[in-house]
Amino acid sequence: METMTQTPVYAENCPTRQILDRIADKWTTLLIGILSTRPALRFSELRRSVEGISQKMLTQTLRDLERDGLVTRTVFAAVPPRVDYALTPLGQTLCEPLQALHSWATEHMAAIRDAQERFDAGTDRAPRNGAA
C-alpha cells in the first residue's frame, strides 16, 4: 500500500489533487450535505439552505459538481421553468466521508476554539527566531 508521501497528489497537475480541491471546497461540502437530505432540491431551496452563498457561487459550484458527475440537473417544462438538482450515485458516495468530517469537526470544535484563543492571546506560540 502506498503512503500519502509516495502518491503524486502533491504534484500541482495531479488529477487526484484536482478532485480533492473540488471536494474540499466549503461550498461543495455544504451542497453535498444538503443534497444528501432530499431526493432533489430546487436552486432557490439550495440558496436558502446554505447561508452566505451568493447566487454566482451557487451557480458555479453546481455547474462544477455537474461537470464532475456528482450532481444532476433536471429541467422541467413548466411556467415558470423548474430546475432540480440531485446527487448522482457517484455523488452519494461522498456522503459517508463528508459525514465523518462533519462528526470530527463537531467533536473537536471546543478543543480547536480553545487552541485558537490560546494562539490569539499569544500563550500558545513558541518563539519564531525570525522565521515566518
Side-chain angles (χ1 to χ4, degrees), residues 22 25 27-28 31 43 53-68 71 85:
R22 167 81 60 242
D25 174 75
W27 300 123
T28 293
L31 289 171
F43 185 91
I53 193 167
S54 68
Q55 181 170 334
K56 179 181 176 183
M57 187 53 64
L58 178 56
T59 299
Q60 184 61 53
T61 304
L62 288 169
R63 280 186 187 150
D64 291 342
L65 291 171
E66 185 180 9
R67 180 176 181 262
D68 292 343
V71 166
Y85 295 89

Side-chain angles (χ1 to χ4, degrees), residues 70 88-97:
L70 302 173
T88 64
L90 180 61
Q92 290 171 0
T93 66
L94 277 173
C95 295
E96 187 177 339

